[in-house]
């Protein structure tokens, strides 16, 4: 994702995207967060690495029923 916010160029994505756009990335946090089952999202502002966010979705009490219903529709469920 690329956007201009208050005149500043903001880039949000994975380490590969930031590197592709010429941003020097410190991905130690991204590696650690991935190991914890989270999805790391890296941020750069004006071409400089700014930090890492983590996104995670916990299993909910209704997950088992939802997976069962999806499978009944012949959908492959991957978690």
């Amino acid at each position: 994702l690329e956007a201009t916010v208050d005149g500043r160029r903001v880039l949000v994505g994975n380490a590969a995207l930031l590197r592709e756009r010429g941003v020097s990335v410190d991905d130690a946090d991204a590696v650690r967060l991935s190991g914890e089952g989270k999805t790391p999202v890296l941020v750069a502002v004006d071409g400089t690495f700014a930090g890492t966010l983590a996104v995670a979705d916990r299993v909910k009490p209704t997950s088992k029923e939802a997976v069962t219903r999806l499978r009944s529709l012949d959908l492959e469920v991957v978690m």
Side-chain angles (χ1 to χ4, degrees):
L1 171 70
E2 283 186 81
T4 301
V5 180
D6 291 333
R8 301 183 80 183
R9 193 178 119 233
V10 179
L11 180 62
V12 179
N14 62 22
L17 174 68
L18 272 64
R19 285 188 186 109
E20 178 182 297
R21 300 296 168 83
V23 177
S24 178
V25 174
D26 175 2
D27 62 356
D29 283 334
V31 171
R32 179 181 55 79
L33 292 167
S34 290
E36 295 173 3
K38 299 171 184 166
T39 301
V41 181
L42 287 71
V43 180
V45 178
D46 293 331
T48 302
F49 179 69
T52 304
L53 307 169
V55 180
D57 190 14
R58 290 183 270 157
V59 176
K60 297 167 187 64
T62 57
S63 295
K64 183 177 179 179
E65 177 185 345
V67 169
T68 299
R69 292 179 76 188
L70 291 168
R71 286 184 176 151
S72 75
L73 298 171
D74 290 327
L75 296 173
E76 180 182 357
V77 180
V78 180
M79 296 180 72

